[in-house]
Amino acid sequence: MKNPFKYLIPAYYTALNGQITVNGTILPVYDGMVAPNGAASYILIGERTSSQQQAKCGFLTECFVLIDIVLKGSNYGFKAADDAANQVLSIINSDDNPVPTSGIQVVTTSVQSINNLSSLNSTEQVFRQLIRFRNVVSQI
């Protein structure tokens, strides 16, 4: 059995990198963590979990990937976070599965949850939208 995230995460990165724009700014995409000198607003490919499913022909795995949209600053709000989430959902959805270059095939994609978080204080405003995708993948 192969580790599906080795192939799935680069597919997410390729699909989203350079594609999401908020208030005229392209949001960079990071895998796992943001560099110390990274952008204030960004998309993070975060938490990922998987479990093997019973299949008679080959390996089938259920994979969950969390996409964390982070918008910092007074130029943003829930509307901007919702706009970024709409763009992500137009790229990755049940009609447009992530496409790994090799190793696995994404059989189906669905949204497990969407959550809004905010952290408002006098020094910094942070708006976040968390989208948890569920992918069923088959090893090739």
Side-chain angles (χ1 to χ4, degrees), residues 4-72:
F5 292 121
K6 178 180 178 181
Y7 308 96
L8 186 59
I9 298 306
Y12 269 88
Y13 182 85
T14 299
L16 296 175
N17 192 37
Q19 301 302 312
I20 310 303
T21 304
V22 178
N23 294 347
T25 301
I26 296 173
L27 297 179
V29 177
Y30 297 102
D31 179 16
M33 65 183 282
V34 180
N37 59 351
S41 295
Y42 53 85
I43 295 174
L44 182 68
I45 303 172
E47 176 186 306
R48 49 203 87 171
T49 59
S50 70
S51 62
Q52 186 176 350
Q53 303 297 304
Q54 294 295 328
K56 293 185 182 207
C57 56
F59 293 105
L60 196 64
T61 307
E62 182 179 44
C63 299
F64 296 91
V65 176
L66 183 68
I67 301 299
D68 187 355
I69 301 164
V70 179
L71 303 177
K72 293 181 184 177

